[in-house]
Amino acid sequence: MKMKITWNTVIAILMTLSVPATSLLAKTSITPEHEAYFEQHIRPALVQYCYDCHSEETGKTRGGLLLDTQDGMLRGGDNGNILSGTNYRDSLFWEAINWLDLEMPPKQAMPTEVIQRFQTWLEMGAPDPRQQEKVTVQSSIDIEAGRNHWAFQTPIATPGATIDSFIADKLKSASLSPVAPADPPTLLRRLNYDLIGLLPSPDEITAFAQAWQRNPQKALTEKVDELLDRPQYGERWGRHWLDVARYAESTGKDVNMTYPQIWRYRDYVFDSFNSDKPYNRFVQEQIAGDLLKVETDAEWQQNLIATGFLAMGTKSLNESNPRQHRMDVADEQIDTMSQAILGLTVSCARCHDHKNDPIPTTDYYALAGIFLSTDTFFGTVKSAQNKRPSRLLELPIVDPMIAKNKYSPADIEQLRQQRSQLIQTRRSNRNNENASQQQLAAIRRRISDIEAKLAQIETDGTPITTAMGVQDARLTGNTTVLLRGDVEKPAQTVSRGFLQVLPGGGSVKINPGASGRKELAAWLTSELNPLTARVMVNRIWLKLFGAGLVTSPNNWGTTGKAPSHPQLLDHLALEFMQQGWSIKKTIKTIVLSKTYQRDSQFDSKNYEQDPDNTHLWRMNPRPMDAETLRDSILTLGNGLDLKRPYGSLVADIGDSRVGRGFNQARLPSNVRYRSVYLPILRDDLPAALGLFDFADPNVSKPKRESTNVPTQALYLMNNPQVLSEASAMAKKLIKQFPSREAQIKHAFMLAYSRPPDARDLAAAKQFFAQYKPVTPDNSNGPRFQNARRSGRRPQNQLQRQAPNRGRRPVGGAMTEQAPNQGRQRGMQPRSGGRRGNRRGDANANTPRIPLMTPEEQTLAVFCQSLMASGEFRQLN
C-alpha cells in the first residue's frame, strides 16, 4: 500500500491526524475489587505465560512488546496497541491468547480457565494497577552562561568592508605579504574546477586569455556568470550538499537494503542549486516541504521529494523493538539536521546533558518529540532480516518514464495467482515436518517481492510514482525523556521545542495534530538565528579555498575551532541573508575577490610564520576530488556525456540487499555520464570514487579527506577504463595533429591547461626516443622501459593484466599478455550485462583495450602518464 498524496487531499489528511486510538485500558478507573482481581488472577498468568519473552527483567521484547508494565501494554508492539478498540474481542490481545490469528504463547495455548479469567478482566475494562516509578531527569547546564559562546552571538556588521579589506588587515597585522595573482590559464582552471567540476578546453583557455588582455575584470566577471549559468554548476555544488546530507542509495548497517527511489532527491538538489533557490527555502523544503503552502501539484511533488533529506539516513532494519527503531530513526534525523544546518552535535545529548555544549538532554527530547511525531517513508521489502520495512510516498504526478512500463491485466492476474499459490504452499509447508526454515524463508521472500510489485501498480496497470520522504504522523504530541537513552525507561514528559541556547528556542506552540516540523523549519531559517547563515557561508568558503574560516564545519560548539576571520565570517553571513540567501551571489562575490585570485606560489618567509596559510597569503593548492578526476579522464579520452541520466543504476535493480548477490561488481563501470550520477551504496562505493577520498555516506561529511596512497597510483596505472581513455586520447591527438611536438603541446593543454615549457618538451622527447612499443612479434620481449622524467610528474609503469581477461592494454602492459583472442585489430569495448559475469567479477563491465599501432601505443602511454601525474590531479 502507498499513501496517495496530492495537494487537494491535504486538508482531509490533516483532519484525521488528531484522532487518537482508543484503548480499553486507558478508559478504566481502578477500584479495590479490580486491583484484587488483577493481583490474584492476571499478574500470575502474565508472569507464567508472557514475561519470559515480554518483560524488562528478562531483557526480551519479542515483537517489540513489553507486558510487565501498564505503560508497556498501552504502547503495544510491532502490530500496534494490543488493547485498542471498543470491544475486547476485536483486540490483538484477545486474538493472540485464543490463537485466532496470532498465537501467544507460541508453543502451547493457555488453559481454558486462564483464558476465561482474562476474558473477565477484559470485560471489566482491563484494569491494571501496575505503575512504574516516575523518574525526573535533571540538568545542571547554565543556559544563560552558554549563550556567551561566540557562535551563539548575533553577527555584527562592518560597514564598507570587503573580503579583501578584511584579509589585507590580517596580513598587515601579521607582517605577511601576499603572493602575486594567478595567471589567466591557472585562474580559469581553478574557476572551472570550483564552479562546474570540469577542466577548461584549449579553446576556452585561448578565448579567456584574449578577453583578459582586453579587459581583465570584464573577462573574469563574464566567465563567472557563464559558469554559474551552466547546468553543471548545480551538479557540482549540489554534490557538495549531498556530502553534508549523507546521500546514499542504501540503508547501510546490519541489513543493507537499497533505496531505489532516492535518486529523485539527488536530482531535486541539483535543480535547486541551478535555479539558485534561496537557501532558507531550500532548508525549509527539506525539513517540512510536505507542510509548506504551494500553488501547484508540481511544486507539491518537489516539496515531498525534498523531505527525502530526512528519510535517507542509515537504518537498523534488523531491530526487533519498534520503539527502539523509531527512536533511532529520529536520533539519526536530529543528528544530521543539527550538524548540516546548525553545525551542532545535538545528538550527543540523547543519553545525558551534552558534555561540552549548553544543550541539556531535555532539549534533545524536545526536538525528538517533533521527529517522533513524524512518519518516515523509506521503502525496502519485508524479509526475515528486514523487520522494519516502510511504505513510500506516492507522488501526485506520474513519471512518464515509469508510465511506459504499464502492466497488462494478464500480467497483474499472473502476479496475483503466483502470490496465492505461494501462500498456499507456505500453509502446506507449515504442517510438513520435512519443510526446512530455509524453504519457508524463501517462500516468504517471494511472497514479499510479489506483494511489493502489486503495491507499486495502479488498478489500470500503471506503475505508481513514488519517493522517499516524511509526513506528519497520525498521532502527534510531546515525548518523554528517556533515562540514559533507554526506550524502556521513560522519565518526565517535555514539551516540543528548540534549543534554548539560541534565540527563539525553548518550548513553542504547536497546533494539535501537527508534528512541529513547519515551526522548526521557520526557526532554523530565521534571520535571528546566529548559526544557519554562518554555517552555510563557511561551507561555501571551504569549497572555494580548501579550508573554512571555521575549520570544524560541523561543530560550532565549544570544542569546535574559533573562526580565523570572525569579522569576515559575520560580514559574509549578513550579506548572504541581505542578498536573499543566494548561494550563487555569495560564490560570485568570493571568486571575484583578489584573495581568491592569488597564485599558489610558495613563499618560504610567509610559510615560516604561517605554515597553515591561515591568513590567506596565497591560494591553497588542492587535489582534484574523486568525481572531477574521473570526469576529467573521461573528457580527455572518449568524451564525457554531460546529459543527465534518468534515474539510477540502483533504481534499475530495484529492491535488493547489498552483499554477495548485489554489489558494485554487478553494476556497469564503463558508463560515461558524470560521476555525480554513479551509484552510491553504503559500505560499497565505486572504485573510481572510493579510492580517491569520496565522502563517507554514513554520516554528514562537510570536508573530504586528502590522501596520497599507493592504491590510487595503481588504479591510474592499471584500471582498464583509464587505459581505454588514454588510448582514445592518443588516437584523437594523432588524428588532429601530424607532428609529435604538436601532439605533445596539445596534450599538455588538455591535461594541465598550459603549454609545455622547454624542460617539459625535452623530457617528453626523451621519453618518445627511449620507449619501445610492443608488437605481436615481440610480445614476449622486455616489459615497458620507463623514460627518465623531468621530475614534474611521477614515474609510471603499466602492469600486465590477467591473461584470462582477453584485453589488450596499452604500452608495456602488452608485453606479457598476448592471448589469441586479443590479437585481432579493432577490438571494440565490451558493454557487458547489467550484472556482470556469474562470479561477480569487478571488471566484467569494463572496456577491452583495442590493439594499437606502435605509434598509438607510445602516445597512449604518454597520455596515461599525464593522467596519473601529480600536476594533473593538483589544482592551482
Side-chain angles (χ1 to χ4, degrees):
M1 292 290 293
K2 301 295 180 294
M3 179 174 284
K4 182 66 176 178
I5 301 296
T6 66
W7 181 243
N8 294 330
T9 61
V10 174
I11 301 301
I13 293 174
L14 290 178
M15 289 177 64
T16 69
L17 291 178
S18 59
V19 179
T22 59
S23 174
L24 297 166
L25 185 60
K27 296 185 293 184
T28 304
S29 58
I30 301 176
T31 67
E33 292 76 12
H34 288 155
E35 183 172 355
Y37 188 86
F38 182 89
E39 295 297 345
Q40 183 177 356
H41 299 293
I42 303 304
R43 188 193 291 266
L46 290 172
V47 172
Q48 181 176 355
Y49 297 107
C50 304
Y51 280 16
D52 280 350
C53 297
H54 302 282
S55 69
E56 184 178 330
E57 182 178 348
T58 62
K60 295 179 181 179
T61 55
R62 298 284 176 84
L65 178 64
L66 282 175
L67 296 177
D68 56 348
T69 65
Q70 183 192 82
D71 288 341
M73 296 194 79
L74 277 171
R75 286 196 301 264
D78 290 7
N79 296 316
N81 188 328
I82 63 171
L83 293 172
S84 63
T86 56
N87 189 322
Y88 71 86
R89 292 184 180 275
D90 297 329
S91 69
L92 292 174
F93 184 79
W94 179 256
E95 290 182 4
I97 66 175
N98 283 277
W99 280 35
L100 298 177
D101 185 12
L102 300 172
E103 299 174 355
M104 295 295 162
K107 295 182 180 181
Q108 184 176 359
M110 296 178 186
T112 302
E113 62 272 19
V114 174
I115 295 176
Q116 289 174 346
R117 289 167 185 162
F118 272 114
Q119 180 177 353
T120 301
W121 177 65
L122 291 169
E123 289 172 345
M124 292 178 182
D128 189 344
R130 296 173 299 172
Q131 297 291 333
Q132 284 183 296
E133 182 182 352
K134 293 297 182 181
V135 178
T136 300
V137 174
Q138 302 289 346
S139 173
S140 59
I141 289 179
D142 187 339
I143 298 294
E144 195 59 41
R147 294 189 177 116
N148 294 326
H149 181 55
W150 69 267
F152 306 147
Q153 302 294 308
T154 301
I156 300 174
T158 307
T162 65
I163 292 173
D164 290 328
S165 67
F166 283 119
I167 299 300
D169 289 346
K170 281 279 189 176
L171 289 171
K172 183 177 180 180
S173 64
S175 300
L176 296 171
S177 299
V179 301
D183 58 62
T186 299
L187 183 57
L188 179 62
R189 193 172 196 257
R190 182 185 303 167
L191 284 169
N192 270 51
Y193 169 82
D194 283 339
L195 302 192
I196 63 173
L198 299 171
L199 298 180
S201 68
D203 290 343
E204 289 177 307
I205 296 170
T206 300
F208 182 72
Q210 292 172 350
W212 185 275
Q213 289 180 344
R214 294 190 295 270
N215 187 327
Q217 191 60 37
K218 181 181 179 183
L220 182 61
T221 302
E222 289 180 350
K223 190 63 183 180
V224 170
D225 288 337
E226 184 250 312
L227 292 173
L228 291 174
D229 283 340
R230 290 195 197 179
Q232 291 76 42
Y233 157 78
E235 294 168 335
R236 177 63 170 164
W237 281 81
R239 181 58 251 186
H240 295 331
W241 179 255
L242 295 183
D243 284 6
V244 174
R246 52 50 172 129
Y247 173 80
E249 296 177 80
S250 71
T251 63
K253 292 200 171 181
D254 42 24
V255 183
N256 196 356
M257 298 291 292
T258 56
Y259 288 149
Q261 299 302 323
I262 195 57
W263 64 268
R264 298 186 189 279
Y265 173 82
R266 176 201 68 194
D267 289 0
Y268 156 82
V269 170
F270 295 166
D271 292 340
S272 296
F273 273 86
N274 274 327
S275 66
D276 199 25
K277 182 175 291 181
Y279 180 67
N280 57 346
R281 176 71 185 191
F282 182 60
V283 168
Q284 290 168 9
E285 289 176 358
Q286 293 176 88
I287 300 299
D290 57 310
L291 305 175
L292 301 179
K293 184 178 179 180
V294 295
E295 300 295 332
T296 66
D297 273 356
E299 291 180 46
W300 175 235
Q301 178 149 309
Q302 287 304 301
N303 284 2
L304 288 174
I305 292 171
T307 64
F309 170 80
L310 294 175
M312 66 183 175
T314 56
K315 304 284 188 300
S316 291
L317 300 179
N318 202 28
E319 174 57 59
S320 60
N321 188 332
R323 293 187 300 282
Q324 184 69 52
H325 175 73
R326 192 170 181 82
M327 191 66 232
D328 289 345
V329 169
D331 177 72
E332 198 276 339
Q333 292 168 337
I334 293 170
D335 188 40
T336 301
M337 177 276 295
S338 62
Q339 290 193 60
I341 299 169
L342 296 174
L344 295 175
T345 56
V346 173
S347 277
C348 291
R350 178 177 180 176
C351 302
H352 45 69
D353 286 349
H354 200 293
K355 294 292 187 182
N356 303 298
D357 297 336
I359 304 173
T361 190
T362 50
D363 276 14
Y364 171 88
Y365 286 97
L367 282 171
I370 295 173
F371 290 99
L372 290 171
S373 296
T374 300
D375 284 339
T376 303
F377 298 87
F378 55 87
T380 72
V381 175
K382 186 175 183 179
S383 66
Q385 294 80 25
N386 181 10
K387 300 174 182 176
R388 302 292 153 208
S390 162
R391 295 178 293 165
L392 291 169
L393 292 178
E394 182 180 345
L395 299 178
I397 301 175
V398 176
D399 187 329
M401 295 294 289
I402 289 179
K404 294 178 181 179
N405 302 318
K406 188 173 182 178
Y407 285 73
S408 69
D411 294 333
I412 298 174
E413 183 58 29
Q414 183 180 15
L415 286 172
R416 289 172 177 166
Q417 289 179 1
Q418 290 175 355
R419 179 183 60 181
S420 297
Q421 292 170 358
L422 287 167
I423 291 174
Q424 185 60 41
T425 303
R426 181 183 64 182
R427 288 172 179 168
S428 300
N429 284 354
R430 279 180 175 175
N431 300 322
N432 183 355
E433 295 181 358
N434 296 324
S436 67
Q437 290 300 316
Q438 290 83 353
Q439 289 173 325
L440 290 172
I443 293 172
R444 285 195 296 268
R445 282 196 299 270
R446 291 172 63 188
I447 293 173
S448 294
D449 290 343
I450 293 174
E451 289 177 341
K453 287 182 180 179
L454 289 171
Q456 297 278 350
I457 306 171
E458 296 279 13
T459 54
D460 65 352
T462 302
I464 297 173
T465 303
T466 57
M468 294 172 64
V470 302
Q471 294 278 284
D472 278 5
R474 291 184 65 86
L475 292 177
T476 61
N478 301 326
T479 192
T480 56
V481 177
L482 299 178
L483 186 63
R484 294 185 294 278
D486 189 339
V487 295
E488 310 301 349
K489 296 180 180 178
Q492 76 270 29
T493 299
V494 293
S495 299
R496 285 170 288 174
F498 317 134
L499 303 182
Q500 298 177 64
V501 75
L502 297 178
S507 300
V508 293
K509 183 179 180 180
I510 297 173
N511 292 330
S515 64
R517 282 183 295 112
K518 186 176 180 180
E519 292 81 359
L520 173 62
W523 175 74
L524 288 171
T525 55
S526 167
E527 293 193 0
L528 297 178
N529 188 327
L531 281 173
T532 301
R534 274 185 177 136
V535 169
M536 188 55 188
V537 296
N538 187 65
R539 296 196 192 285
I540 296 171
W541 188 276
L542 184 158
K543 294 303 178 183
L544 293 172
F545 285 91
L549 296 171
V550 174
T551 56
S552 55
N554 269 19
N555 181 7
W556 292 55
T558 58
T559 59
K561 301 295 183 182
S564 57
H565 299 73
Q567 290 179 303
L568 172 56
L569 179 64
D570 281 3
H571 169 79
L572 290 172
L574 291 169
E575 189 175 67
F576 182 45
M577 291 186 286
Q578 291 163 5
Q579 292 181 336
W581 300 76
S582 169
I583 294 174
K584 281 189 177 182
K585 288 179 180 178
T586 300
I587 292 173
K588 183 176 179 179
T589 298
I590 294 174
V591 300
L592 290 180
S593 68
K594 292 180 180 178
T595 304
Y596 175 84
Q597 297 169 37
R598 289 197 177 111
D599 196 76
S600 60
Q601 179 183 352
F602 181 78
D603 183 286
S604 58
K605 182 179 179 182
N606 285 347
Y607 181 80
E608 287 179 5
Q609 188 170 339
D610 183 19
D612 294 329
N613 193 30
T614 302
H615 292 82
L616 297 170
W617 48 270
R618 68 164 178 165
M619 172 54 76
N620 292 313
R622 289 171 287 153
M624 282 186 181
D625 58 29
E627 296 94 326
T628 303
L629 178 62
R630 176 182 174 274
D631 289 355
S632 298
I633 290 174
L634 293 180
T635 301
L636 296 183
N638 286 299
L640 179 67
D641 184 359
L642 294 178
K643 183 180 178 181
R644 176 188 289 182
Y646 171 79
S648 162
L649 291 174
V650 175
D652 293 344
I653 297 296
D655 288 292
S656 184
R657 184 176 179 182
V658 180
R660 293 180 62 185
F662 168 65
N663 49 47
Q664 291 288 348
R666 302 284 182 170
L667 296 170
S669 60
N670 61 335
V671 291
R672 305 205 64 80
Y673 44 68
R674 293 199 73 182
S675 302
V676 294
Y677 297 108
L678 291 178
I680 306 302
L681 299 172
R682 287 189 167 108
D683 305 318
D684 185 20
L685 294 172
L689 303 183
L691 287 174
F692 294 93
D693 304 316
F694 187 78
D696 179 2
N698 290 291
V699 294
S700 176
K701 194 73 173 177
K703 184 178 180 180
R704 297 189 183 182
E705 307 300 327
S706 179
T707 63
N708 187 7
V709 294
T711 50
Q712 296 170 349
L714 290 171
Y715 177 90
L716 294 172
M717 291 162 58
N718 296 290
N719 181 265
Q721 188 154 31
V722 178
L723 303 179
S724 177
E725 302 309 318
S727 301
M729 181 179 177
K731 288 178 181 292
K732 288 195 297 185
L733 289 172
I734 291 172
K735 185 176 181 180
Q736 288 181 274
F737 302 97
S739 72
R740 180 69 77 191
E741 185 166 322
Q743 293 166 4
I744 294 171
K745 289 181 178 179
H746 197 71
F748 266 74
M749 289 296 291
L750 288 169
Y752 299 154
S753 302
R754 67 170 181 84
D757 57 26
R759 188 175 63 168
D760 293 323
L761 279 174
K765 289 178 180 179
Q766 184 180 22
F767 165 80
F768 284 105
Q770 294 184 359
Y771 179 74
K772 295 181 180 179
V774 178
T775 65
D777 292 334
N778 69 346
S779 60
N780 292 320
R783 298 182 68 181
F784 168 65
Q785 298 176 7
N786 194 21
R788 285 179 294 176
R789 299 197 177 275
S790 63
R792 186 182 296 273
R793 295 174 299 279
Q795 293 186 342
N796 172 45
Q797 179 171 343
L798 302 178
Q799 306 297 319
R800 69 184 178 94
Q801 302 295 308
N804 63 347
R805 264 311 147 245
R807 296 187 183 85
R808 299 292 298 185
V810 297
M814 197 175 296
T815 60
E816 294 188 14
Q817 178 192 321
N820 293 332
Q821 66 268 35
R823 293 181 181 275
Q824 299 177 3
R825 292 181 179 273
M827 184 179 293
Q828 298 300 312
R830 175 188 177 192
S831 60
R834 174 69 69 195
R835 294 186 176 229
N837 64 14
R838 291 183 179 178
R839 287 184 284 181
D841 180 61
N843 294 320
N845 294 302
T846 49
R848 295 175 183 269
I849 310 303
L851 183 64
M852 296 178 292
T853 65
E855 179 188 16
E856 291 170 344
Q857 285 182 44
T858 307
L859 188 57
V861 173
F862 176 76
C863 290
Q864 191 193 7
S865 71
L866 298 183
M867 294 176 182
S869 68
E871 182 172 350
F872 178 68
R873 296 170 58 187
Q874 195 77 12
L875 272 296
N876 305 314

